[in-house]
């Protein structure tokens, strides 16, 4: 298991890389969003970003704007959006990203088109974007957002037609009205190639630190560990980095056990590591 943190696109990228590097995260999940992390800013800062990442030995996963529609029924609008998708794919590739996350339709009102149309359009656009991304050396992953966007049944349909893996967002899967984390695991455990983890109270997509909502984090980690051992991004949206550190310690302690967690820190902090209190 390796743990990453996501930048806030309303802040400069470089200073956040330093902050995540100082906290010894394994990788940055770079969300390529306006204004400070748009594709054109990332291209312009490419060398500085790569230098900052390598100075902390940080890896990189790319994440595309959640508000880029993947199933717009207006062909011209989708065509323009796909052009922007291509720009973020190119920017991700230029930084060496191998995994890039895009979202199931989350920005259009469900009243705009039937779900059958939404799924058909998603499949069509995913096929062409996947081809484009593969030529750039990037694997696209599709993230579950809320049940309103794509149900389990609709994801099954997408996976039956497009050879693409899933970025499982456990916070989103745990929202009320959805199928729930366990159902996602039952259906898609073999499809999961990346994980987002954050807490909430089930009503809103709060992106809280682990333990701050009503998620049974211990049960979630045990279930996840049974089938998955790769990138986990803590998508904790708080301006205070202590919450991110706390969430990471909690995840590591639950994953490795307290003793192993402390042993793992020995080589990083020879004078002793003080975990966030958990
Ligand atoms: Zn997410």
């Amino acid at each position: 298991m390796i743990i990453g943190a996501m930048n806030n696109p309303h802040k400069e990228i470089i200073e956040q890389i330093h902050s995540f590097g100082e906290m010894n995260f394994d990788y940055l999940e770079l969300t390529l969003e306006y204004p400070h992390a748009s594709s054109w800013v990332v291209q312009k800062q490419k060398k500085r970003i790569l230098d900052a990442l390598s100075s902390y030995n940080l890896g990189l996963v790319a994440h595309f704007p959640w508000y880029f529609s993947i199933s717009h029924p207006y062909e011209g609008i989708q065509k323009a959006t796909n052009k922007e998708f291509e720009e973020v794919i190119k920017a991700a590739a230029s930084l060496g990203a191998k995994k890039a996350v895009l979202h199931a339709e989350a920005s259009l009102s469900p009243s705009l088109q039937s779900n059958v149309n939404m799924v058909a359009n998603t499949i069509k656009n995913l096929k062409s974007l996947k081809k484009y991304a593969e030529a750039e050396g990037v694997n696209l992953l599709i993230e579950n957002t809320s049940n309103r966007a794509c149900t389990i049944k609709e994801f099954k349909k997408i996976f039956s037609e497009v050879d693409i893996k899933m970025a499982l967002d456990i916070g989103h899967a745990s929202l009320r009205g959805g199928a729930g984390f366990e159902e996602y695991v039952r259906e898609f455990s073999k499809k999961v190639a990346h994980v987002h983890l954050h807490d909430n109270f089930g009503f809103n997509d709060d992106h809280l630190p682990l333990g701050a909502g009503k998620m049974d984090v211990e049960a979630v980690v045990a279930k996840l560990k049974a089938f998955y051992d790769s990138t986990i991004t803590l998508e904790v949206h708080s301006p205070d980095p202590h919450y991110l550190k706390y969430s990471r310690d909690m995840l590591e302690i639950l994953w490795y056990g307290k003793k192993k967690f402390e042993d793992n820190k020995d080589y990083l902090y020879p004078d002793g590591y003080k975990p966030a209190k958990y």
Side-chain angles (χ1 to χ4, degrees):
M1 188 252 311
I2 54 177
I3 308 178
M6 185 180 282
N7 61 304
N8 174 349
H10 295 281
K11 290 183 179 167
E12 294 287 344
I13 301 171
I14 304 293
E15 65 189 49
Q16 294 180 82
I17 294 175
H18 287 294
S19 163
F20 299 152
E22 294 297 332
M23 284 193 271
N24 279 309
F25 274 91
D26 299 309
Y27 67 92
L28 164 72
E29 181 158 341
L30 178 64
T31 191
L32 288 117
E33 290 179 50
Y34 185 84
H36 288 298
S38 58
S39 58
W40 57 93
V41 172
V42 166
Q43 291 283 23
K44 218 190 275 173
Q45 295 186 351
K46 182 185 148 187
K47 190 177 172 333
R48 287 179 64 213
I49 294 171
L50 288 172
D51 285 349
L53 289 172
S54 77
S55 71
Y56 293 102
N57 204 17
L58 281 169
L60 183 91
V61 169
H63 182 270
F64 297 157
W66 62 270
Y67 45 81
F68 279 9
S69 185
I70 188 74
S71 72
H72 207 290
Y74 284 53
E75 241 177 77
I77 295 177
Q78 189 61 53
K79 217 169 155 188
T81 307
N82 285 354
K83 266 263 159 280
E84 291 299 333
F85 265 124
E86 290 175 9
E87 292 304 315
V88 284
I89 290 169
K90 273 193 278 188
S94 78
L95 296 175
K98 294 281 173 280
K99 293 181 187 180
V101 179
L102 53 72
H103 297 76
E105 186 59 67
S107 57
L108 297 177
S109 162
S111 63
L112 182 65
Q113 62 185 335
S114 69
N115 274 28
V116 174
N117 258 20
M118 181 270 285
V119 170
N121 284 333
T122 300
I123 289 168
K124 187 173 93 182
N125 292 308
L126 273 184
K127 279 184 178 167
S128 69
L129 289 172
K130 183 179 179 270
K131 210 164 148 196
Y132 186 92
E134 273 171 2
E136 294 283 338
V138 175
N139 290 307
L140 287 188
L141 310 172
I142 187 163
E143 174 175 345
N144 60 303
T145 49
S146 69
N147 208 38
R148 206 184 74 158
C150 248
T151 60
I152 294 265
K153 200 171 148 218
E154 287 158 358
F155 268 118
K156 275 178 153 174
K157 172 79 177 153
I158 291 168
F159 290 140
S160 74
E161 301 221 14
V162 191
D163 182 18
I164 191 168
K165 298 265 196 222
M166 178 177 236
L168 175 61
D169 188 307
I170 297 175
H172 295 163
S174 309
L175 287 168
R176 250 162 58 124
F181 167 63
E182 300 219 340
E183 192 60 22
Y184 272 90
V185 172
R186 222 183 332 268
E187 293 291 347
F188 303 126
S189 61
K190 289 193 173 65
K191 280 276 172 195
V192 178
H194 183 53
V195 165
H196 286 169
L197 189 56
H198 49 96
D199 210 341
N200 57 58
F201 284 99
F203 300 101
N204 300 311
D205 188 18
D206 299 311
H207 286 262
L208 297 173
L210 301 188
K214 76 167 187 71
M215 183 186 285
D216 184 346
V217 184
E218 199 169 339
V220 161
V221 171
K223 185 117 199 153
L224 184 61
K225 207 182 151 184
F227 73 91
Y228 182 80
D229 191 7
S230 184
T231 46
I232 301 177
T233 301
L234 290 166
E235 264 191 329
V236 173
H237 294 174
S238 165
D240 185 339
H242 289 95
Y243 291 114
L244 193 55
K245 190 178 171 200
Y246 177 90
S247 302
R248 191 202 56 193
D249 285 355
M250 187 175 183
L251 171 58
E252 287 194 50
I253 289 167
L254 291 174
W255 191 282
Y256 297 117
K258 190 109 182 181
K259 180 166 185 329
K260 188 82 172 26
F261 167 82
E262 276 161 12
D263 292 349
N264 284 347
K265 296 293 173 197
D266 272 355
Y267 77 102
L268 281 172
Y269 305 93
D271 298 329
Y273 176 77
K274 288 187 183 58
K277 224 163 176 52
Y278 166 64

